Amino acid sequence: MRKFERVSASSYDAGVGSPIDDYHDRDVFGHEQYHDIKYKTLSWQIVAILMIAEIVSNGMLSLPSSLATVGMVPGLILIIFLGVFAAYTSLLLVRFKLRHPEVHNMGDAGRIMFGPIGREIFAFGTLLFAVLLAGGQMLSGQIALAALSDNGLCNISFTGIFAVATFLCALPRTYDNLGWLSIPSVLSITIAGIVGMAGAGAHPVEGRSVVAARSSDFYTAFFSITNPVFAYCGHFMFFALMSEMKRPQDAIKAAYTLQGFATTYYAIFAGVTYGFIGSAVLSPSFSSLETAWSKAAYGIALPNLLIAGALYVHTASKILFVRFFRGSRHLHDHTIIGWGAWVGLVAFMSGISFLLAVGVPIFNYLLGITASAFAAWFTYGIAGMFWLHDSYHDGNGFQTWRRKWTSTLSAVLTIIAGLFICIAGLYVTIRAIVDAYADGTITAPFSC
C-alpha cells in the first residue's frame, strides 16, 4: 500500500463532517473561479436526484421475480438488508473521497490502494460496467418501445433509436445539466412503478401462487437474488459525482436519501407486484401486466430508462476525459480539442454500448459477470478496504485496528461479503451461460 501524508486521528475520526483543509487544492477540478466550464456546482439534493435516477431504474423490474423464487419474506428481508448494507458502504466511500480529494473514480482509488496496476484494473472495471449498464438501458428502452408499438419495428431499430437519444442526452459536459434532466427521470420511474402496481392490482392473476418462503437449491436461489444484490450497484459513480459538488462533505446526505428511497420503493414495488401476480411474474415485471397497463407503465418509464443510460455513458466518457486532460486547459475551457474529444468519447461510448447490446448474444450474462467481478466490490467489498487503509495510515497502524475493533470487524466482514458475492455471482452466471447454450436459448447476434 502506498502511504500518503498523515492527518490527525481526530480529523479522520470526524469523518464526513470534516474534510481536510486543502480539499480544493487537491481535487481534480481545483479552484474554478476563473474557468469557463465550472464543474463543482452540484448541491447534495441534485446529487441525490442523480443517484436515484441512475440506480432506481430497470433493475427494480426484476425484483418481483426474485420474490417468486425465494418467497415473500426472505425476499423482502434481503432487499431491506442490502439497502442498509449499501448505506453503510456509502458512508465509507464518502469518507474515503473526503480523505483523498484527488480521487475522481474507482481507478484513482485503485491507485491509492494497490498502485498503478490497481488503477488500471479498477478503471477498466468501471468503464466496462458503465458501458454494459448503458447497453442494458438501451435494451430496456427497446423492450419498452416494442411494447408500445406492438413490435412495429425490428428490435435493433428500437435499440438504435434509444442509443441516439442516449448520446444526445449524455452530451452536456457537467453533471449539473444532467441533474435537471434527472428530476423528470425520477418522477417517471416512480409514477411508472405506481402504475405498474395499480395494473397488477386491477388485474390480479387468478389462482396465483404467493408463498411466504420457498426452498430452492443454491444455484437457483442465488441466481435469483443477484437481482436485488445488483439493484443497488451504483456506487461506482459516487466519486465522480462528489467531485462536482459545491460542498462534498454533504455527500452523505445524498447517499442516505438515495438508499432510503431505493430500499423503501424496492420493497413496496416488489412485494405488491408479487402479491398480485404471484409466481407467474416475469422479468421485467411490467411485461406481466395486462396490455394497456403494460404500455402505460413502459411509456411512463421511458424518460428514466433514457436518462439512466445517459448518466452511464456520461460517466464512462468523463472518466477517460479527465484521465486525458487532467490539469490542462481543455478540461475547463471551451477549446476545439476539448469539445472534440468530449463529443468523440460520448459517441464512442454510446456506440460501443449499442454494439454490445445488439451484437453479443449473451449480453445479459456478460453484464452479470461484470457486475459480479467488479460491482460486487465497488458497491460492497472495497468499502471495507478503504476503511482499513485510512485507519491504518492515519492512525497508529494495527493499534488503531485493535482499538476500533468493532469498525475493523465490520470492514473485514464487508470485504468477505464482497468476495462471496463476487465468487457466487460468477459461478451462477457462468453456469447459466452453459445451460442457455445447452438449451439452445441463445439468439444469434444482431437478430430482430
Side-chain angles (χ1 to χ4, degrees):
M1 293 184 184
R2 177 182 173 184
K3 287 193 175 184
F4 282 75
E5 61 273 22
R6 296 168 65 90
V7 296
S8 68
S10 60
S11 174
Y12 176 78
D13 290 341
V16 297
S18 301
I20 55 181
D21 294 336
D22 61 346
Y23 181 94
H24 295 287
D25 294 326
R26 294 170 54 196
D27 90 303
V28 63
F29 299 118
H31 298 277
E32 297 188 308
Q33 60 267 38
Y34 301 114
H35 293 152
D36 293 335
I37 300 173
K38 294 178 172 59
Y39 293 91
K40 295 189 289 189
T41 58
L42 294 175
S43 65
W44 73 263
Q45 293 92 342
I46 293 297
V47 171
I49 293 293
L50 284 162
M51 289 177 172
I52 293 172
E54 63 102 357
I55 289 181
V56 183
S57 189
N58 62 347
M60 79 172 196
L61 302 182
S62 63
L63 297 180
S65 65
S66 295
L67 268 60
T69 300
V70 300
M72 180 76 81
V73 174
L76 291 178
I77 290 175
L78 181 66
I79 289 172
I80 295 170
F81 169 77
L82 288 171
V84 175
F85 188 22
Y88 166 68
T89 57
S90 297
L91 173 63
L92 300 185
L93 263 66
V94 169
R95 287 181 171 176
F96 186 81
K97 165 64 176 174
L98 293 176
R99 172 62 184 84
H100 303 278
E102 67 276 13
V103 169
H104 175 259
N105 55 71
M106 284 292 177
D108 294 332
R111 179 184 61 83
I112 292 174
M113 299 290 295
F114 306 110
I117 295 177
R119 179 188 191 185
E120 302 306 328
I121 293 175
F122 280 40
F124 172 77
T126 305
L127 287 171
L128 180 61
F129 190 49
V131 166
L132 292 177
L133 284 174
Q137 294 298 129
M138 292 175 189
L139 286 181
S140 296
Q142 169 252 301
I143 293 172
L145 291 175
L148 290 170
S149 66
D150 295 320
N151 297 303
L153 291 175
C154 171
N155 285 338
I156 294 179
S157 299
F158 284 131
T159 311
I161 292 170
F162 222 74
V164 172
T166 299
F167 161 73
L168 294 174
C169 290
L171 275 177
R173 286 276 287 270
T174 66
Y175 280 117
D176 183 56
N177 291 316
L178 283 170
W180 297 108
L181 291 176
S182 295
I183 295 175
S185 170
V186 172
L187 290 174
S188 77
I189 195 63
T190 303
I191 297 172
I194 293 172
V195 169
M197 290 185 284
H203 299 277
V205 174
E206 296 294 335
R208 60 192 176 277
S209 172
V210 178
V211 298
R214 188 188 302 275
S215 61
S216 179
D217 61 274
F218 173 81
Y219 166 71
T220 303
F222 195 85
F223 188 77
S224 175
I225 66 175
T226 54
N227 293 326
V229 167
F230 297 131
Y232 291 103
C233 285
H235 288 44
F236 73 99
M237 285 181 56
F238 280 17
F239 292 150
L241 288 169
M242 284 185 66
S243 295
E244 298 191 25
M245 290 185 70
K246 289 182 289 188
R247 286 178 48 84
Q249 61 266 43
D250 290 337
I252 195 59
K253 299 177 184 177
Y256 285 163
T257 301
L258 158 69
Q259 299 304 155
F261 176 84
T263 304
T264 303
Y265 192 53
Y266 283 171
I268 293 173
F269 177 79
V272 171
T273 303
Y274 172 58
F276 282 121
I277 298 178
S279 59
V281 67
L282 302 175
S283 178
S285 61
F286 287 167
S287 297
S288 302
L289 304 176
E290 187 269 336
T291 302
W293 286 96
S294 177
K295 288 185 176 182
Y298 274 128
I300 296 170
L302 274 175
N304 173 266
L305 302 177
L306 176 61
I307 298 305
L311 283 169
Y312 297 137
V313 168
H314 181 98
T315 299
S317 304
K318 182 72 68 65
I319 290 171
L320 288 180
F321 189 77
V322 169
R323 178 85 176 258
F324 295 155
F325 297 113
R326 188 189 292 242
S328 79
R329 68 188 186 93
H330 303 298
L331 187 65
H332 289 284
D333 295 340
H334 294 294
T335 66
I336 294 176
I337 292 176
W339 272 106
W342 175 251
V343 173
L345 284 170
V346 174
F348 176 75
M349 293 300 175
S350 300
I352 289 295
S353 298
F354 167 74
L355 290 175
L356 289 173
V358 300
V360 178
I362 59 169
F363 176 83
N364 287 328
Y365 298 111
L366 179 62
L367 180 56
I369 289 174
T370 306
S372 300
F374 293 104
W377 291 107
F378 294 162
T379 303
Y380 303 108
I382 198 172
M385 297 183 189
F386 289 162
W387 188 90
L388 291 175
H389 175 275
D390 281 354
S391 62
Y392 181 90
H393 289 292
D394 294 342
N396 296 313
F398 292 109
Q399 293 182 14
T400 301
W401 290 357
R402 286 194 295 268
R403 179 166 55 86
K404 299 182 178 181
W405 67 269
T406 54
S407 296
T408 302
L409 178 61
S410 297
V412 172
L413 291 176
T414 298
I415 296 170
I416 293 173
L419 179 63
F420 172 75
I421 294 170
C422 174
I423 295 174
L426 288 172
Y427 164 72
V428 299
T429 305
I430 293 172
R431 179 174 166 181
I433 294 174
V434 174
D435 292 345
Y437 271 109
D439 296 340
T441 55
I442 300 297
T443 60
F446 302 103
S447 62
C448 284

